[in-house]
Amino acid sequence: MTLFNNRWTKTLALALAVFVSAGVAQADTLEQRISEGESIRLGFSAAPPWAYAGNDGTAKGFVNGIAIDVLKRMGYTNVEPVLTNWSSLIPSLKAGRVDIVTGGMYIVKARCENMDFSDPIGAFGDTFVVPKGNPKNLETYQDLIDQNLTMVAPSGYNTLTDARDAGVPKNSITEVPGTTEALAALRTGRTDAVPINVLEAKHAADLDDSFGISDPEAFVGRAKQVVGIGFRPEDSAFRAEFNKALKDYMGSDEMMATVTPDEYIKAFLPGELTTEDACKSN
């Protein structure tokens, strides 16, 4: 009986030690991870030209480029790309599987409630990817309603919420894991439109001549939205240092040399728009 108790006590103690150790590891700040020689894990999904993995597995796209440049200015070069589904980005950050989200997210209230954002890195609008020539003359969500048409958008994209808010019926909206699946549905005629940000829309049309885009100036959705890079709340000190380095970097020759190959132009600079104001929007 004593031997059993001793073994049970040791087993329980070991289990508790592992549990406590795991809890501590998960609670480590990014600065602590860096001090222990760990890499800075950049979380993103395949959403070119914002963020994507290169053929060699490296982090590509202008959001990754901005993050990597700024981290380098801060003295950090040990960066690890982590490719995942768009809908998994915030859960991965909260669970400690990635350290920074570089996917290219609009700063909106619901996301601000789940993670902290850097200062804005750009301001962008949305539009429809449609069959070439836009045969059904789609420009707004109301056009989908009036013609009883369907749309597909990636899970977690603001356009899903915007479409529902505009009155598009639930049975006319399909949610898929990512842009690849959404564009495949359009290519095969299973949907009429894919509402996404204008940069992804232009990129899709450039890569596939069966696609076109609706007029971004005529699109009625949300106003131009700012994009930021995501951090855990416990990394607020690191985020503050990141913002300090970002301030001098935004609009610089170094930045434009990095982002121009991925279709970012000076017109996308956020100007006086702020993360604080964006976090109040839906």
Side-chain angles (χ1 to χ4, degrees), residues 4 9 53 70 92-93 101 104 117 144 165 199 250 260:
F4 174 80
T9 300
V70 173
S92 293
L93 183 71
V101 169
F117 281 96
L144 294 178
D165 289 348
L199 267 177
M250 288 300 297
T260 299

Coordinates of all heavy atoms in Angstrom, one line a residue, residues 4 9 53 70 92-93 101 104 117 144 165 199 250 260:
F4 N 2.5 1.7 -3.4 CA 1.5 2.2 -4.3 C 1.3 3.7 -4.2 O 1.3 4.5 -5.1 CB 0.2 1.5 -4.2 CG -0.9 2.0 -5.0 CD1 -1.0 1.7 -6.4 CD2 -1.8 3.0 -4.5 CE1 -2.0 2.2 -7.1 CE2 -2.8 3.5 -5.3 CZ -2.9 3.1 -6.6
T9 N 2.0 9.2 -5.8 CA 2.4 10.6 -5.4 C 3.4 11.1 -6.4 O 3.4 12.2 -6.9 CB 3.1 10.6 -4.0 OG1 2.1 10.1 -3.1 CG2 3.5 12.0 -3.6
A53 N 3.2 31.9 -48.8 CA 4.5 31.2 -48.7 C 5.2 31.1 -50.1 O 4.5 30.8 -51.1 CB 4.3 29.8 -48.2
V70 N 10.5 45.6 -40.3 CA 10.4 46.3 -39.0 C 11.1 45.6 -37.9 O 11.8 46.1 -37.1 CB 8.9 46.6 -38.7 CG1 8.8 47.2 -37.3 CG2 8.3 47.6 -39.7
S92 N -4.9 30.7 -33.4 CA -3.5 30.3 -33.3 C -2.7 31.3 -32.4 O -1.8 30.9 -31.6 CB -2.8 30.1 -34.7 OG -3.4 29.1 -35.4
L93 N -3.0 32.6 -32.6 CA -2.3 33.6 -31.8 C -2.7 33.4 -30.3 O -1.8 33.5 -29.5 CB -2.7 35.0 -32.3 CG -2.0 36.1 -31.6 CD1 -0.5 36.2 -32.0 CD2 -2.7 37.5 -32.0
V101 N 0.4 38.0 -36.1 CA -0.4 37.7 -37.2 C -0.2 38.7 -38.3 O -0.4 39.9 -38.1 CB -1.9 37.7 -36.9 CG1 -2.8 37.6 -38.1 CG2 -2.3 36.5 -36.0
G104 N -2.8 40.2 -43.0 CA -3.4 41.3 -43.7 C -4.8 41.5 -43.3 O -5.7 41.5 -44.1
F117 N -3.8 45.2 -32.3 CA -3.2 45.5 -33.6 C -2.1 46.6 -33.5 O -2.1 47.5 -32.6 CB -4.3 46.1 -34.5 CG -5.2 45.0 -35.1 CD1 -6.4 44.7 -34.6 CD2 -4.8 44.3 -36.3 CE1 -7.2 43.7 -35.1 CE2 -5.6 43.3 -36.8 CZ -6.8 43.1 -36.3
L144 N -26.8 41.6 -55.9 CA -27.0 40.1 -55.7 C -28.4 39.9 -55.2 O -29.0 38.9 -55.7 CB -26.0 39.7 -54.6 CG -24.5 39.7 -54.8 CD1 -23.7 39.3 -53.6 CD2 -24.1 38.8 -56.0
D165 N -25.3 42.0 -43.4 CA -25.8 43.3 -43.0 C -26.5 44.0 -44.1 O -27.4 44.8 -43.8 CB -24.6 44.1 -42.4 CG -24.1 43.6 -41.1 OD1 -24.7 42.8 -40.5 OD2 -23.0 44.1 -40.7
L199 N -7.2 44.3 -53.5 CA -5.8 43.8 -53.9 C -5.9 42.3 -54.3 O -5.3 41.9 -55.3 CB -4.9 44.0 -52.7 CG -4.0 45.3 -52.8 CD1 -3.2 45.4 -51.6 CD2 -3.2 45.3 -54.0
M250 N 7.2 53.5 -42.3 CA 6.0 53.7 -43.2 C 6.3 54.8 -44.3 O 6.7 55.9 -44.0 CB 4.8 54.1 -42.4 CG 4.2 53.0 -41.6 SD 3.7 51.6 -42.6 CE 2.4 52.3 -43.6
T260 N 6.4 47.2 -53.2 CA 6.0 47.4 -54.6 C 5.8 46.1 -55.5 O 4.9 46.0 -56.2 CB 6.9 48.4 -55.3 OG1 6.9 49.7 -54.5 CG2 6.5 48.7 -56.7

